[in-house]
Amino acid sequence: EKPDIAVVATRTPGRGEIIRDCVGAGVGGILFEKPLATSLAEAQSVLSDLRDSRTPFSFGHLIVEILLFACGFATARLRA
């Protein structure tokens, strides 16, 4: 059985390899954190693999960072 989706939220080094592993495993879609890779060449290579496999993908920010920003913003507003 193949996973419907994978979320790759790791440190940048090695992220491309994990995404390639997901593509090779036939994952239905991949969400990964940015940046995609540590070099432009690696990013282009990973994107090429994604395109060739026709695997849907998207990227985003860490939810933890967004929540910390929101908490900090709310605290600052309360103190103002």
Side-chain angles (χ1 to χ4, degrees):
E1 187 171 324
K2 298 177 183 177
D4 292 331
I5 191 167
V7 177
V8 181
T10 62
R11 295 185 183 271
T12 306
R15 188 173 294 152
E17 183 178 346
I18 294 169
I19 292 169
R20 283 192 180 100
D21 289 345
C22 291
V23 168
V27 171
I30 303 170
L31 172 66
F32 52 85
E33 294 297 328
K34 62 178 205 139
L36 169 58
T38 56
S39 71
L40 179 58
E42 181 185 14
Q44 289 172 330
S45 176
V46 172
L47 289 172
S48 177
D49 291 346
L50 286 164
R51 183 183 62 242
D52 292 348
S53 70
R54 302 181 61 86
T55 303
F57 69 91
S58 186
F59 61 91
H61 300 281
L62 288 172
I63 298 300
V64 172
E65 289 179 8
I66 294 170
L67 292 174
L68 289 175
F69 173 80
C71 290
F73 183 75
T75 300
R77 286 188 57 161
L78 290 173
R79 291 183 181 171

